[in-house]
Amino acid sequence: MAGALGAVNPIITDKYTADPAALVHNGKVYLYCGHDVSTRERYEMPEWLIYSSDDMVQWKEEGTLAATTFPWASGDAWASQVVEHRGKFYWYVTATHKDINGKAIGVAVADSPVGPFVPASDKALITNDMTTDKTNITWDDIDPTVLVDDDGRAWLFWGNTACYYAPLKDNMIELDGPIRTIDLPHFTEAPWLHKRNGWYYLSYAYQFPEKTAYAMSRHIQGPYEFKGILNEVAGNSNTNHQAIIDFKGKTYFIYHNGSIPTKGGSYRRSVCIDYLYYNPDGTMKRVIMTSEGVGPAQ
Ligand code: FUB
């Protein structure tokens, strides 16, 4: 269990945790992350982990979801995100497809933020053969992020090399329009979409090794204006994967690094949390990554 003595980054030290996504629901924060288990220099991620917290400091493990829970998936629990819509919780995940070469995105659903989550369909929502015009790599359909907009319409963004997006039907498990792309400088992967004061913020992993950069728009489909670097390379991790949430009056930047001694690194990552601050014009200040992390939210 993490954080027993206060706020210390990484927040979880008994397991390697990566690719954080977070959801605020009924006064609690739920954290969903991948589980790095590799002893080699390659990803081995059999499952996702669920944690909850009342204060961003004390974290309780709530359960797991194996990548092979999805009937179409052979494994590889890459990045994911859970969103709530009309009282249900939808978990958008990346995994390797059994039959269609490459990564794919699927959805699980639950009545509670801690599950039990079950596949919402026996098919993946996005497969590699649906996105062949921008890039022919097999790992471009990864890293889903979903925003349910104020008008109730949900949008899925995802990608590696190309940043894709499409509207979702009200059932949250089917596309409701064509797949389009957003042009962003040096887009690598890990899009995260959040909205504040009428601005859409599209943050993403930039270059490789990855920094986090972001762009802003008044419209969900853009055009997005590039605003620069939000977070520097996170120590010894060549990936950088962010979630941004508001909780009890503060904004949090949740990411991963490889700082657990002595084996931590790009394939044994750990989730960290630091504060995020806005400028008066709505732009975001660069994140200061710390070992101390954040204090208890009240
Ligand atoms: O963890 C596997 C992949 O590495 C994720 O899907 C990317 O965002 C990067 O963190």
Side-chain angles (χ1 to χ4, degrees):
M1 195 56 51
L5 299 177
V8 177
N9 278 330
I11 60 164
I12 293 155
T13 53
D14 62 339
K15 285 180 179 158
Y16 293 112
T17 54
D19 301 329
L23 169 74
V24 176
H25 176 70
N26 279 354
K28 278 191 167 204
V29 176
Y30 295 89
L31 172 69
Y32 306 86
C33 51
H35 185 191
D36 275 336
V37 300
S38 184
T39 54
R40 300 178 286 176
E41 296 311 286
R42 48 169 291 180
Y43 296 122
E44 285 177 37
M45 306 178 74
E47 62 186 3
W48 298 273
L49 307 171
I50 308 173
Y51 294 86
S52 71
S53 177
D54 296 318
D55 66 358
M56 302 297 287
V57 172
Q58 302 286 344
W59 291 93
K60 177 180 173 208
E61 190 168 341
E62 297 275 8
T64 62
L65 180 69
T68 51
T69 304
F70 293 88
W72 51 267
S74 60
D76 301 320
W78 283 22
S80 72
Q81 185 181 355
V82 175
V83 296
E84 182 187 5
H85 189 51
R86 303 197 203 289
K88 290 205 178 287
F89 298 83
Y90 296 89
W91 197 341
Y92 296 83
V93 306
T94 313
T96 299
H97 203 285
K98 273 179 183 162
D99 306 312
I100 300 169
N101 189 26
K103 292 284 184 291
I105 292 170
V107 195
V109 64
D111 292 326
S112 136
V114 296
F117 282 90
V118 294
S121 161
D122 56 4
K123 294 194 180 69
L125 171 61
I126 306 288
T127 50
N128 190 43
D129 53 350
M130 294 165 69
T131 55
T132 48
D133 52 336
K134 281 276 173 184
T135 165
N136 60 6
I137 62 173
T138 58
W139 59 94
D140 55 323
D141 297 296
I142 66 170
D143 294 4
T145 181
V146 170
L147 178 78
V148 181
D149 210 344
D150 299 330
D151 61 3
R153 190 148 209 223
W155 296 82
L156 171 68
F157 284 59
W158 74 99
N160 177 295
T161 313
C163 181
Y164 301 110
Y165 75 96
L168 291 170
K169 289 189 180 167
D170 198 50
N171 66 12
M172 301 293 273
I173 62 170
E174 290 176 279
L175 298 189
D176 193 26
I179 296 173
R180 297 196 168 98
T181 54
I182 305 246
D183 284 331
L184 295 163
H186 300 289
F187 176 84
T188 305
E189 56 187 2
W192 178 270
L193 195 59
H194 74 280
K195 189 177 184 184
R196 177 181 181 266
N197 293 344
W199 284 108
Y200 296 89
Y201 295 81
L202 182 49
S203 52
Y204 62 94
Y206 170 99
Q207 297 179 327
F208 195 86
E210 295 171 349
K211 301 173 183 176
T212 303
Y214 77 104
M216 291 169 64
S217 179
R218 285 291 189 191
H219 307 281
I220 198 158
Q221 298 188 74
Y224 281 86
E225 187 178 336
F226 183 67
K227 294 292 181 184
I229 303 302
L230 181 59
N231 191 31
E232 300 291 347
V233 171
N236 61 347
S237 171
N238 57 23
T239 60
N240 201 330
H241 195 118
Q242 77 295 350
I244 296 169
I245 56 160
D246 286 345
F247 183 61
K248 297 187 177 173
K250 292 200 161 79
T251 305
Y252 295 90
F253 185 83
I254 310 175
Y255 59 103
H256 63 222
N257 64 21
S259 67
I260 291 188
T262 59
K263 301 275 201 279
S266 295
Y267 302 97
R268 287 164 299 283
R269 298 162 289 181
S270 298
V271 170
C272 297
I273 304 178
D274 279 297
Y275 293 115
L276 187 149
Y277 300 101
Y278 291 89
N279 294 307
D281 66 357
T283 57
M284 296 187 284
K285 293 185 195 289
R286 198 168 295 211
V287 171
I288 299 175
M289 292 179 279
T290 68
S291 299
E292 292 79 8
V294 298
Q298 294 170 357

